[in-house]
Amino acid sequence: MKRQFDINTIIRENIKRIKPYSSARDEFTGEASVFLDANENPLGSVGGTQNNRYPDPYQRELKRLISEIKEIESNYIFLGNGSDEAIDLLFKTFCRPGIDAALQISPSYGMYKVSADVNEVKIYESSLDKNYQPIAQNIINHGFDNVKMVFLCSPNNPTGNLLDKNIVYEILHKFNGMVIIDEAYIDFSSERSWISELKNYPNLVVLQTLSKAWGLANLRIGMLFASPELIAVLNKIKLPYNISGLAQDYAIKALKNHSQKHEMVSEILTQRLSLISQLEQLACIEHIYPTDANFVLIKTANPNKMYTYLTDNKIVVRNRTNIHLCEGCIRITIGTGSENNSLIEALKSYTE
Ligand SMILES: *Cc1c(COP(=O)(O)O)cnc(C)c1O
């Protein structure tokens, strides 16, 4: 199925009018041997490494590799300084400060609200149901004014589950605005990415990242996939050199080794299975929620006590008990075999 949706009807007028800053590296991209256009230091870099030249502002080589791996043309790809930059730019593109609003599922990732707050945009929460699935009707008929985007997250953080495909399709069809699907954990799941639906839904935006499965959190590279129309707008309003050349080089090296990502993911999935079966043996664990991510949400009688006990044993987990629908819950990242064993051994001696 397809949807007709003209994103120009909801892009802010001031954003449409902006003429982009044209950097030196924008205006000349061909072959040359003498570069006197960007006021760089011609002698090299203090410290001796070769960092005196500005990087490619559009990360073309990196996008070419991502395009091959994700099977989508480069003009559907935007790269940000982490997904966080991409989220911020979406607010800037669609939401007028003090006037427009966004919607998010709850519980979900905390960054949507931080970014909304920074941009002085209201963000409303639509509660998941008891199976941690969105309620399509509540999202489609939200009843708020000027809602321009909805943030979905699948697999969802902190609950770990994939969102039901049919519910997402209904939202994509009927929600009057952009539908952002954050797939930071997609590599750990059995589902294929929503990237494959981009050509059918002009209101769809997919977020992914190199921070999790690729093990490159330090590089700060987030990927946003959307229509070429939206990508052009994001390129126009981003900071000119938002991804350093070093980060681009490291990411290129990683993407050329992408079989190593598959090996790491499969090891983490093996560990996930093993950790869950060991957690199931423990009386202090009341419930283990199904997960499609590299973490697992568990329920326990006294989460604050368990959290403190674990930190006293030098093991840090994430206490989520104060989050909507996560009462009693702790989120545990899947570690190495030996890290997971340390956790299990500690929990064996834990008393409530
Ligand atoms: C970790 C995470 C990200 C990644 O953010 P980066 O800025 O790319 O490191 C994005 N979304 C969710 C839901 C996450 O949990």
Side-chain angles (χ1 to χ4, degrees):
M1 290 246 265
K2 269 185 184 296
R3 179 167 179 187
Q4 299 295 327
F5 189 98
D6 182 3
I7 66 166
N8 279 301
T9 59
I10 58 167
I11 293 176
R12 290 164 65 198
E13 287 302 322
N14 67 310
I15 296 291
K16 284 191 219 167
R17 281 195 303 266
I18 287 170
K19 293 262 181 299
Y21 167 75
S22 180
S23 70
R25 289 292 176 269
D26 279 330
E27 295 188 356
F28 182 84
T29 54
E31 294 283 313
S33 52
V34 180
F35 284 100
L36 304 176
D37 58 343
N39 301 344
E40 295 151 339
N41 185 333
L43 305 176
S45 309
V46 175
T49 54
Q50 284 292 315
N51 285 306
N52 53 327
R53 300 294 176 187
Y54 282 101
D56 177 0
Y58 300 112
Q59 309 98 22
R60 278 163 270 228
E61 170 71 357
L62 181 51
K63 282 182 188 166
R64 193 181 61 73
L65 293 165
I66 293 172
S67 158
E68 279 174 16
I69 292 169
K70 303 291 175 184
E71 298 177 347
I72 186 86
E73 296 87 322
S74 283
N75 59 345
Y76 283 76
I77 307 173
F78 173 84
L79 300 179
N81 191 337
S83 310
D84 299 341
E85 182 190 11
I87 293 166
D88 177 70
L89 290 178
L90 290 170
F91 278 107
K92 291 189 159 64
T93 301
F94 293 107
C95 297
R96 293 164 295 177
I99 301 172
D100 290 327
L103 201 60
Q104 69 157 90
I105 52 172
S106 174
S108 193
Y109 186 44
M111 203 51 210
Y112 314 132
K113 179 167 167 49
V114 172
S115 201
D117 287 346
V118 168
N119 284 288
E120 204 191 343
V121 169
K122 271 219 171 76
I123 188 154
Y124 299 107
E125 297 192 341
S126 183
S127 180
L128 298 176
D129 68 15
K130 62 178 190 328
N131 297 317
Y132 292 145
Q133 290 299 331
I135 302 166
Q137 286 315 311
N138 292 353
I139 289 175
I140 295 158
N141 305 315
H142 49 75
F144 301 111
D145 290 334
N146 298 322
V147 172
K148 298 295 168 67
M149 314 191 270
V150 58
F151 283 89
L152 306 177
C153 184
S154 182
N156 189 30
N157 179 3
T159 59
N161 61 297
L162 282 161
L163 303 188
D164 184 312
K165 259 207 284 219
N166 294 321
I167 299 173
V168 175
Y169 271 119
E170 192 177 353
I171 295 168
L172 275 170
H173 266 282
K174 299 184 186 159
F175 177 76
N176 185 25
M178 303 302 291
V179 178
I180 323 301
I181 306 179
D182 188 339
E183 294 185 334
Y185 300 99
I186 191 72
D187 302 276
F188 303 105
S189 88
S190 46
E191 273 294 333
R192 65 174 191 171
S193 167
W194 284 94
I195 288 174
S196 58
E197 290 288 3
L198 281 173
K199 290 177 183 172
N200 295 328
Y201 297 93
N203 59 331
L204 171 60
V205 175
V206 177
L207 297 174
Q208 292 189 9
T209 180
L210 296 185
S211 298
K212 305 285 160 61
W214 289 91
L216 297 170
N218 189 38
L219 298 188
R220 309 305 306 128
I221 297 181
M223 300 174 276
L224 180 152
F225 303 89
S227 70
E229 234 179 333
L230 177 56
I231 299 301
V233 171
L234 298 173
N235 279 333
K236 186 171 85 161
I237 67 173
K238 77 182 184 76
L239 296 176
Y241 302 106
N242 60 327
I243 305 207
S244 78
L246 290 177
Q248 292 184 47
D249 290 346
Y250 273 99
I252 287 165
K253 228 183 273 169
L255 291 171
K256 286 182 173 163
N257 276 295
H258 81 279
S259 63
Q260 210 189 333
K261 189 205 73 171
H262 296 299
E263 289 161 24
M264 281 189 175
V265 166
S266 81
E267 166 65 11
I268 290 168
L269 295 184
T270 304
Q271 290 302 332
R272 183 172 82 186
L273 213 60
S274 147
L275 179 68
I276 289 172
S277 72
Q278 289 175 282
L279 289 169
E280 278 168 350
Q281 316 294 314
L282 299 172
C284 61
I285 307 288
E286 285 178 4
H287 187 66
I288 303 168
Y289 292 87
T291 179
D292 271 285
N294 66 336
F295 57 83
V296 59
L297 193 71
I298 61 100
K299 196 177 182 102
T300 186
N302 193 342
N304 296 331
K305 184 168 180 197
M306 181 183 279
Y307 178 81
T308 309
Y309 168 82
L310 287 174
T311 36
D312 288 346
N313 283 272
K314 302 201 160 31
I315 297 169
V316 192
V317 292
R318 198 90 200 262
N319 188 352
R320 300 280 77 184
T321 190
N322 294 324
I323 304 276
H324 176 64
L325 295 184
C326 294
E327 294 79 12
C329 291
I330 285 182
R331 194 191 70 189
I332 303 168
T333 304
I334 312 301
T336 63
S338 97
E339 289 170 332
N340 299 337
N341 283 338
S342 305
L343 173 78
I344 295 294
E345 286 312 310
L347 286 177
K348 280 180 181 165
S349 324
Y350 168 71
T351 46
E352 281 169 338

